Amino acid sequence: MLIQLRDIVEQVSKAENVHQALTILVQETCKAMQTECCTVYLANNDRHRLELIATQGLKFSGQSVHIPFEQGLVGLVRRSAEPLNLAQAQQHPDFKYFPKLGENVYQSFLGTPIIHRRQVFGVLVIQQRSPRQFSEIEESFLVTLATQLAVIIAHSQAQGVWTLKGRQVRSFKGLAASRGIAIGKMWWDDTHPDLSKVAPASSLDIEYDQEWLALAVEQAIADFRRMRKRFDSELNKDTLAIFELYIHLLHDPMLKADLNRQIEQGDRADWALRQVIELYAKRFATMSDPYLRERANDIKELGHRLLFFLHNHDKRESGFKDPVILVVRELTASILAGIPRDKLLAVVSLEGAANSHAAILARALGIPAIMGAQLKPEILRGKLGIIDGYSGDIFIEPTKQLLKEYRSLSHEEQELSQLVEQELSKPAYTQDGQRVELMLNAGLSADTNIAINQGVDGVGLYRTEIAFLMQHGFPSEEEQTQNYRLILSSYPDKRVVMRTLDIGGDKALPYFPIEEDNPFLGWRGIRFTLDHTDIFLIQLRAMLKASAGIGNLNIMLPMISSSQEIDESKALLERAYQEVLKTIPELERPQLGIMLEVPSILYLLPLVADKVDFVSVGTNDLTQYLLAVDRNNSRVSDLYEHVHPAVMMALKHIFETCQQHKLPVCICGELAGDPIGALLLIGLGYRSLSMNTSNVAKIKYILRKVSAKELAQLSQDALAKPYADQIYHTVFSYLEQKGLAGFIRAGKK
Ligand code: PEP
Ligand code: MG
């Protein structure tokens, strides 16, 4: 049977479309199981019924044939989500005769649910005229077939090629990357030069090719500078760093040397470019950290731009008369920059994730964006579409009703964003006068050109590892000093918390690979730096030197799990301090803090509180370690619940312990920048939150509209709930009451 199963799967997978696949499936299943009838029903949840999609053996003329969820044996299989194996189906109490189907000729019935990720998509049934009790092997055959079928259906649904009868709207789903709603004409653009299409070609004149390439590099640098300038007044410096990063990479001597070497080996400039860029991109693409994987896209984007200039294209003018929803294969910062803002309603990218630089840029520009949308772009051109950047939904040729709903949401949204921006420069006070410190999470770019963001009280987390990851070797003490000084001097009167290197785990250095079975439980963060005191001391000295005369440096240690790690780090910091003191006698001592992200430290906190000046809670890792859920694994992403009751309890415990020990505490995980999370945290007592730029204005606005006293009660209520969604809805209802639910949009998590 295994061979038959493989054959069916193979034949089905070769089908040109899903309907053909299902027809093949029912025919081949009948043959394999030597039975007369096989049928696929698909659940239409909107209409509470199972719809016949494909059959061999039943009456089916392609018109709508359906069974209500609560009726018949097929309905029972869906409800129980279990196989049902009956030799005499008519004798079962749930049996119901559907004259439309012409089932009366069949006696035996074997039905199995089609399940994908806990969701019952439909039911697969085989039937036979003579009474037959199907064997266990036959039953498991059908179950296996149903699991394969579930994957095919899930895939076609994601591609939008699956439409149930009665549905007029074509909808697709992608990753919500930049919030907002857009309604307009879709525009599919595939005209950007594609490096992957460059064919092998030899150089006829090596010197000429090297010059040709050098010129393209110069033009690309000038182009990125132009784009940077264009956005200077619109974007904050952190976001503009995307262009700086490209310019930085284009100046990279290693990249230039590799390109020239490739040409010297006899390859034409464009072919050399493709090979070198692909090699660089591969290094990043193999990293397990999603952020770093996306840096591969930056490298590829550089390649595309260089190719553009190599082929000496004229700068393409945007030919859009009216604003459009742009659909591209892969959204890049330069595509975004190349189109006037007033011509761009939203963007949909077939590739990429919500963490890419292009997505960051889209957020900063306030352009709704959906990434990783699985759809056939050709069918979209010129059609009217709705983009829901909150949920990742894309609707093509929507109904009047849907358009009306989205128009009113869009209107509501415009009003909200105007409101929020008006209050950005005001301090974050709650209605009952509680001051909340709002800090910035920075450093997610290799570039260090971060200017003062006037809306924040300082930098609560500066991630230093990216500069290490973008290089070919560990950055020198001097390079690091310059980097850190730029940041510290950008916030002369505000606190800047710099975290020491947090590599390992999912952030492996290309030039220092670490192979481990369980990298998240392995050589990560402080464990790595304490084993490499050379690297640690260089970084500490660089931070100290960078702070000379500014005095706003705070140093934070990641992944602390024991007292020894704090003691050893303090000893090394003291050593670095004494060394730097020799050249800078008036050097101020930085404050020292630790990240609370490994659960052991929760219990140790009372015993180590006097060893540190402050703590900061990394809810991203704390959640992953408390719930034993890999934060990067999409298979278990449903279990990674930001407001899981255990996480809430841990946060309550941390706050109370810090209070007892008079230890300043901040939250720097993603929870702090989430409206639901931020309200819960304030309710638990926290008064310092650090978040990404895009969340500052919104969180500040919300905090200015709520009362800390009410939030305390709300958090107390939430903490009595055993389920994450109950906690979520408790806070959501409060936001609704306050008229602030528009920031969350209809209960979307
Ligand atoms: C965290 O773990 O919550 C955190 C802020 O650090 P990172 O996301 O860099 O691990
Ligand atoms: Mg962390």
Side-chain angles (χ1 to χ4, degrees):
M1 287 211 104
L2 205 65
I3 296 171
Q4 285 163 314
L5 185 70
R6 212 179 45 211
D7 280 353
I8 298 180
V9 171
E10 215 169 277
Q11 289 199 47
V12 166
S13 62
K14 280 188 197 144
E16 278 173 16
N17 58 51
V18 67
H19 288 281
Q20 193 187 43
L22 293 180
T23 310
I24 296 173
L25 183 116
V26 292
Q27 287 164 356
E28 294 304 311
T29 307
C30 280
K31 263 194 235 161
M33 302 199 69
Q34 291 169 2
T35 187
E36 291 125 351
C37 178
C38 177
T39 311
V40 179
Y41 298 90
L42 213 60
N44 185 336
N45 293 318
D46 296 345
R47 298 187 164 196
H48 286 267
R49 66 192 195 188
L50 286 147
E51 301 186 351
L52 195 155
I53 298 296
T55 184
Q56 162 151 324
L58 290 186
K59 282 193 209 157
F60 180 50
S61 59
Q63 276 164 3
S64 171
V65 176
H66 43 85
I67 298 176
F69 277 172
E70 57 288 343
Q71 288 183 16
L73 298 177
V74 180
L76 177 64
V77 174
R78 195 206 71 92
R79 290 198 303 280
S80 64
E82 265 186 334
L84 184 64
N85 186 353
L86 304 168
Q88 297 275 3
Q90 278 100 335
Q91 289 171 11
H92 192 281
D94 280 70
F95 176 82
K96 182 162 190 270
Y97 173 55
F98 294 95
K100 258 191 176 176
L101 295 173
E103 274 187 308
N104 49 338
V105 292
Y106 299 113
Q107 303 220 31
S108 47
F109 174 101
L110 171 59
T112 185
I114 304 165
I115 302 182
H116 186 73
R117 297 200 155 209
R118 295 192 184 188
Q119 205 193 331
V120 183
F121 275 176
V123 178
L124 175 64
V125 179
I126 54 170
Q127 287 166 285
Q128 186 159 315
R129 286 168 200 266
S130 55
R132 168 174 170 189
Q133 186 73 48
F134 291 96
S135 69
E136 266 185 36
I137 294 178
E138 287 167 329
E139 198 175 306
S140 72
F141 178 88
L142 203 69
V143 169
T144 316
L145 212 52
T147 48
Q148 301 284 342
L149 186 54
V151 176
I152 297 172
I153 295 171
H155 183 68
S156 354
Q157 281 185 342
Q159 295 244 322
V161 287
W162 193 261
T163 39
L164 281 173
K165 299 219 167 0
R167 271 200 197 169
Q168 278 118 43
V169 181
R170 300 258 256 160
S171 65
F172 304 86
K173 197 140 182 100
L175 302 164
S178 176
R179 288 160 184 255
I181 287 160
I183 301 168
K185 285 260 165 66
M186 313 284 284
W187 179 261
W188 161 238
D189 186 355
D190 203 16
T191 55
H192 288 268
D194 188 350
L195 201 61
S196 67
K197 300 226 166 80
V198 174
S202 312
S203 168
L204 296 174
D205 181 342
I206 290 177
E207 225 170 276
Y208 172 83
D209 272 33
Q210 287 180 333
E211 272 176 31
W212 183 24
L213 190 71
L215 192 67
V217 170
E218 286 310 313
Q219 286 175 324
I221 292 174
D223 192 44
F224 284 128
R225 288 215 172 104
R226 263 197 307 274
M227 291 182 185
R228 191 191 182 290
K229 210 162 158 216
R230 229 190 90 195
F231 286 120
D232 212 15
S233 54
E234 275 186 65
L235 298 177
N236 74 26
K237 297 284 190 291
D238 201 9
T239 315
L240 283 171
I242 293 161
F243 298 108
E244 296 285 338
L245 168 68
Y246 290 142
I247 296 166
H248 172 81
L249 285 168
L250 284 169
H251 277 125
D252 182 24
M254 186 84 100
L255 178 69
K256 280 189 186 156
D258 285 344
L259 286 167
N260 281 327
R261 203 170 306 122
Q262 198 66 39
I263 296 175
E264 269 159 29
Q265 283 173 16
D267 292 338
R268 202 171 72 181
D270 50 357
W271 172 231
L273 176 71
R274 176 177 168 186
Q275 293 173 87
V276 172
I277 291 292
E278 284 180 352
L279 184 80
Y280 275 53
K282 211 163 133 196
R283 280 191 206 148
F284 280 92
T286 48
M287 295 178 185
S288 50
D289 175 68
Y291 177 80
L292 293 171
R293 264 204 310 272
E294 279 149 29
R295 300 292 66 77
N297 292 335
D298 292 329
I299 306 280
K300 282 195 217 145
E301 165 60 0
L302 256 199
H304 292 316
R305 289 313 283 172
L306 283 173
L307 186 65
F308 178 84
F309 287 108
L310 268 182
H311 289 174
N312 204 17
H313 287 299
D314 291 332
K315 223 172 170 297
R316 206 171 44 87
E317 277 301 309
S318 144
F320 314 123
K321 274 202 225 89
D322 299 315
V324 293
I325 295 170
L326 183 73
V327 184
V328 288
R329 185 155 303 284
E330 188 169 356
L331 182 66
T332 62
S334 34
I335 291 181
L336 273 177
I339 300 171
R341 173 69 188 90
D342 60 344
K343 292 279 181 276
L344 205 51
L345 297 170
V347 282
V348 175
S349 177
L350 307 193
E351 286 166 23
N355 219 10
S356 69
H357 267 154
I360 297 172
L361 186 58
R363 284 199 283 274
L365 289 169
I367 299 171
I370 294 180
M371 309 289 283
Q374 297 187 355
L375 45 80
K376 286 208 178 109
E378 300 82 11
I379 60 164
L380 304 179
R381 208 194 302 260
K383 296 210 169 119
L384 182 69
I386 299 177
I387 299 302
D388 185 337
Y390 294 89
S391 64
D393 283 311
I394 303 162
F395 301 100
I396 312 298
E397 298 185 323
T399 57
K400 275 195 188 134
Q401 182 56 30
L402 199 67
L403 265 177
K404 200 171 149 215
E405 274 171 36
Y406 269 96
R407 285 211 173 105
S408 96
L409 280 172
S410 164
H411 183 68
E412 192 183 298
E413 188 191 42
Q414 276 165 16
E415 286 179 350
L416 277 182
S417 74
Q418 277 166 10
L419 268 176
V420 158
E421 295 298 328
Q422 278 165 16
E423 299 199 9
L424 181 61
S425 55
K426 296 184 182 158
Y429 277 103
T430 60
Q431 290 270 295
D432 48 351
Q434 290 288 312
R435 173 79 162 96
V436 179
E437 187 184 42
L438 284 196
M439 309 280 278
L440 196 65
N441 284 355
L444 267 183
S445 164
D447 190 88
T448 50
N449 189 356
I450 294 164
I452 301 167
N453 180 331
Q454 288 174 341
V456 296
D457 298 301
V459 174
L461 168 66
Y462 181 77
R463 292 177 167 102
T464 55
E465 45 277 2
I466 301 301
F468 285 73
L469 289 153
M470 295 299 290
Q471 306 244 359
H472 301 281
F474 289 100
S476 68
E477 190 165 325
E478 182 50 32
E479 274 177 292
Q480 290 188 51
T481 307
Q482 283 180 16
N483 273 353
Y484 304 150
R485 192 154 181 91
L486 263 171
I487 296 135
L488 294 169
S489 56
S490 296
Y491 298 86
D493 311 318
K494 297 176 177 176
R495 278 179 74 224
V496 175
V497 179
M498 292 200 156
R499 187 172 72 182
T500 63
L501 196 58
D502 184 17
I503 52 135
D506 59 346
K507 288 182 261 178
L509 297 174
Y511 47 89
F512 198 99
I514 303 169
E515 293 286 328
E516 289 174 319
D517 282 345
N518 287 307
F520 272 119
L521 304 181
W523 209 28
R524 201 193 147 179
I526 199 72
R527 301 172 184 179
F528 174 86
T529 40
L530 283 178
D531 285 352
H532 265 286
T533 47
D534 47 346
I535 296 167
F536 196 31
L537 281 167
I538 288 176
Q539 187 177 42
L540 291 172
R541 280 197 303 264
M543 286 179 179
L544 291 165
K545 284 182 191 166
S547 75
I550 311 175
N552 56 350
L553 172 68
N554 294 252
I555 294 179
M556 181 153 72
L557 310 168
M559 286 291 293
I560 291 287
S561 63
S562 72
S563 318
Q564 290 89 321
E565 285 165 346
I566 303 176
D567 296 341
E568 287 172 30
S569 305
K570 283 184 82 168
L572 287 166
L573 178 59
E574 183 57 26
R575 190 171 135 191
Y577 178 78
Q578 292 305 332
E579 282 169 15
V580 178
L581 203 59
K582 285 183 197 145
T583 49
I584 309 172
E586 64 285 0
L587 186 71
E588 284 189 42
R589 260 179 205 282
Q591 299 251 300
L592 182 71
I594 56 171
M595 292 279 295
L596 300 188
E597 50 187 349
V598 180
S600 63
I601 203 72
L602 268 60
Y603 302 99
L604 266 183
L605 201 50
L607 306 175
V608 297
D610 61 342
K611 292 179 189 284
V612 292
D613 302 307
F614 65 93
V615 293
S616 190
V617 189
T619 50
N620 310 341
D621 276 316
L622 185 63
T623 308
Q624 123 162 305
Y625 292 126
L626 265 185
L627 306 183
V629 178
D630 180 343
R631 66 192 251 194
N632 293 329
N633 184 344
S634 61
R635 260 192 227 156
V636 287
S637 59
D638 286 356
L639 301 177
Y640 189 97
E641 293 181 306
H642 299 89
V643 293
H644 190 286
V647 175
M648 290 300 122
M649 292 291 184
L651 289 168
K652 179 177 190 288
H653 172 83
I654 291 173
F655 182 76
E656 287 169 359
T657 312
C658 289
Q659 283 283 93
Q660 278 163 22
H661 295 271
K662 300 195 169 49
L663 193 57
V665 57
C666 174
I667 303 276
C668 65
E670 291 296 299
L671 192 70
D674 170 73
I676 299 269
L679 293 193
L680 283 166
L681 290 166
I682 300 300
L684 289 174
Y686 289 91
R687 292 293 179 266
S688 177
L689 306 178
S690 190
M691 63 200 67
N692 297 327
T693 355
S694 56
N695 293 324
V696 174
K698 176 180 58 192
I699 297 294
K700 186 179 281 188
Y701 179 86
I702 294 175
L703 292 181
R704 290 175 60 84
K705 300 284 167 292
V706 296
S707 132
K709 207 165 153 218
E710 284 171 8
L711 292 180
Q713 183 59 49
L714 189 76
S715 294
Q716 204 179 319
D717 295 347
L719 251 68
K721 314 266 186 230
Y723 302 101
D725 55 355
Q726 290 176 336
I727 297 180
Y728 181 90
H729 284 108
T730 306
V731 187
F732 182 71
S733 310
Y734 177 80
L735 278 170
E736 261 182 333
Q737 260 175 45
K738 295 276 165 189
L740 298 167
F743 290 103
I744 306 291
R745 283 276 327 280
K748 288 200 167 73
K749 280 206 232 187

